[in-house]
Amino acid sequence: SSPAEADPSKPSPPLFERPPLCLVAFALLLSTAVALLCTVFRDALAVVLRQPSGEAAALLLLKLVSIPVVSVAFTYTHIWLALWMTFKPVNFVGCLRIPRTNVGLGWQGIIPFKAVPFALKACDNLIPSLISPQECVGRVEAAGLVREKAAEFDQLAADAVDAAVAVAAPRLWGRSPRAAKQAVLEMARVATPQIVEAVLLDLRRES
């Protein structure tokens, strides 16, 4: 599984967008001018560029014109790809991925891959300025905590009883009837809110 799962439904910016009409018109005019210079006016172009023939002048002009065109196309494409790979794909696409890394025959966006560490770091930086640990502990209600995490606290109570009896009277606990064991576990569950409240009080004093 990937380190971060997110909603991939939001589309990425397209590689090509509809250009403005003025830009299209300028490109057409420039292309027409280059085509005329390479065909109709190539002899005059040879004189200007000091080339032995019109064909050589046309070839030189195409080479010169191709430099900014290829540079812009390459730069635009690789910057778009770099930005896309920063955020996409949201989940790893590929195979043979090394667990807990972004290494493999595939790719996952850098931001989605680092989402959990980024979120933890943001929480570490933001929470102290928003609410202190003392306030966090002070707002926790023991009864509400036990009610929300009843299954976890029941398991903790059972584990605590088993651990205590295993040390104090392991043989007696093993020979006890099921009803007696259930009664002891029920007493531990009933006492859980008071124990949690005592732990919270200790935390409030220490913080």
Side-chain angles (χ1 to χ4, degrees), residues 7 78 91 107 177:
D7 182 13
H78 93 264
N91 303 313
W107 185 254

Side-chain angles (χ1 to χ4, degrees), residues 84-167:
W84 186 88
M85 293 179 70
T86 301
F87 298 96
K88 299 286 184 175
V90 174
N91 303 313
F92 185 84
V93 176
C95 60
L96 302 179
R97 183 182 192 179
I98 299 176
R100 294 182 296 277
T101 71
N102 207 14
V103 180
L105 298 180
W107 185 254
Q108 180 184 13
I110 297 173
I111 299 300
F113 175 72
K114 296 286 188 179
V116 172
F118 286 167
L120 293 175
K121 187 66 175 178
C123 289
D124 291 340
N125 293 333
L126 288 175
I127 288 179
S129 62
L130 298 177
I131 184 171
S132 64
Q134 295 87 342
E135 291 177 299
C136 290
V137 175
R139 295 182 183 183
V140 176
E141 182 185 356
L145 180 60
V146 173
R147 184 172 57 254
E148 291 293 330
K149 298 293 182 180
E152 289 83 352
F153 279 112
D154 288 347
Q155 185 61 46
L156 287 174
D159 294 342
V161 169
D162 289 339
V165 175
V167 175

